Amino acid sequence: MNKQAIKLLLSDNHKTFVDYIGSLTAEEFLLSKNSKWTPGQQLEHIYLGVRPVRQILGFPKLLFRLIWGKANRQSKTYDELVKKYLQKLENGGRATGRFIPKSVSLDRRDKLTNALQKEIVILNQRIDNFTEDELDKYILPHPLLGKLTIREMMYFTIYHVEHHKKLTERDLKQ
């Protein structure tokens, strides 16, 4: 997947998620079944995941090498990255620390959806600062998946929001 495809899917998947969350009634937005996150918490979790990626991609490229080093392997494909993520979840992997959302009230929905959409716009702009080769050269830490190339982190971000939309839909149906 090249940069343009990555940027398009980042935008499309997050817009689909935001539109879905925006379509929920107040009762649905606040509903938690079986101790699962509410749709509002799902929204905040996605925002909490995108924000640090956007921030890190604003760092000077020299810092990537100094802090995390360079990739010593090829980037995984989108499907390979998704498979790795799903295996980690099957083995008990869960969000931790700053990625666990707090309670989200209905009056925060618009603020969070707007903030998430802005993060995606800026993230896409920051992707443009990297060449195709640099997306595979620089690595970033992921709390569950370990060191990922920038391209892999984008794949994760594309899939992550889709995964949480499906979880939200499932939880509201139960």
Side-chain angles (χ1 to χ4, degrees):
M1 198 181 300
N2 67 22
K3 283 190 334 183
Q4 293 310 315
I6 288 169
K7 289 169 48 180
L8 181 63
L9 282 173
L10 278 170
S11 296
D12 287 353
N13 286 10
H14 284 84
K15 182 179 183 333
T16 299
F17 178 72
V18 164
D19 289 349
Y20 173 69
I21 294 295
S23 76
L24 299 176
T25 66
E27 182 182 354
E28 291 169 328
F29 182 80
L30 299 170
L31 185 64
S32 172
K33 291 184 181 176
N34 304 319
S35 300
K36 301 288 185 186
W37 290 345
T38 68
Q41 289 173 302
Q42 297 282 6
L43 172 62
E44 184 172 63
H45 173 70
I46 294 300
Y47 172 75
L48 292 172
V50 170
R51 186 179 59 190
V53 175
R54 185 267 307 154
Q55 290 170 330
I56 288 171
L57 289 190
F59 290 1
K61 292 175 186 175
L62 175 64
L63 285 182
F64 284 90
R65 275 203 333 256
L66 291 174
I67 297 172
W68 300 294
K70 292 191 321 187
N72 59 3
R73 59 173 175 76
Q74 293 285 331
S75 289
K76 290 178 173 30
T77 66
Y78 177 82
D79 291 337
E80 290 168 338
L81 191 280
V82 169
K83 182 179 177 182
K84 180 179 179 179
Y85 175 60
L86 293 175
Q87 286 174 337
K88 291 285 188 177
L89 293 179
E90 282 179 27
N91 292 332
R94 295 290 177 260
T96 59
R98 66 183 174 150
F99 300 104
I100 297 175
K102 306 221 180 333
S103 179
V104 177
S105 60
L106 183 63
D107 63 341
R108 290 188 54 219
R109 175 168 40 186
D110 288 345
K111 182 178 178 184
L112 271 173
T113 57
N114 289 336
L116 176 58
Q117 289 173 308
K118 287 177 186 173
E119 293 290 340
I120 294 301
V121 168
I122 297 168
L123 180 58
N124 276 336
Q125 291 168 348
R126 295 216 168 139
I127 291 169
D128 279 334
N129 294 330
F130 294 87
T131 66
E132 292 288 347
D133 288 341
E134 288 171 335
L135 292 180
D136 299 311
K137 175 181 175 180
Y138 298 116
I139 56 176
L140 317 170
H142 185 279
L144 184 61
L145 300 173
K147 290 182 179 180
L148 299 179
T149 65
I150 294 173
R151 186 180 308 277
E152 291 168 338
M153 186 67 81
M154 295 307 100
Y155 290 168
F156 171 79
T157 305
I158 288 166
Y159 179 74
H160 188 233
V161 69
E162 184 179 319
H163 174 74
H164 281 274
K165 180 180 180 284
K166 289 177 185 174
L167 291 178
T168 305
E169 292 170 332
R170 179 204 68 194
D171 293 345
L172 286 176
K173 287 180 185 173
Q174 292 181 347

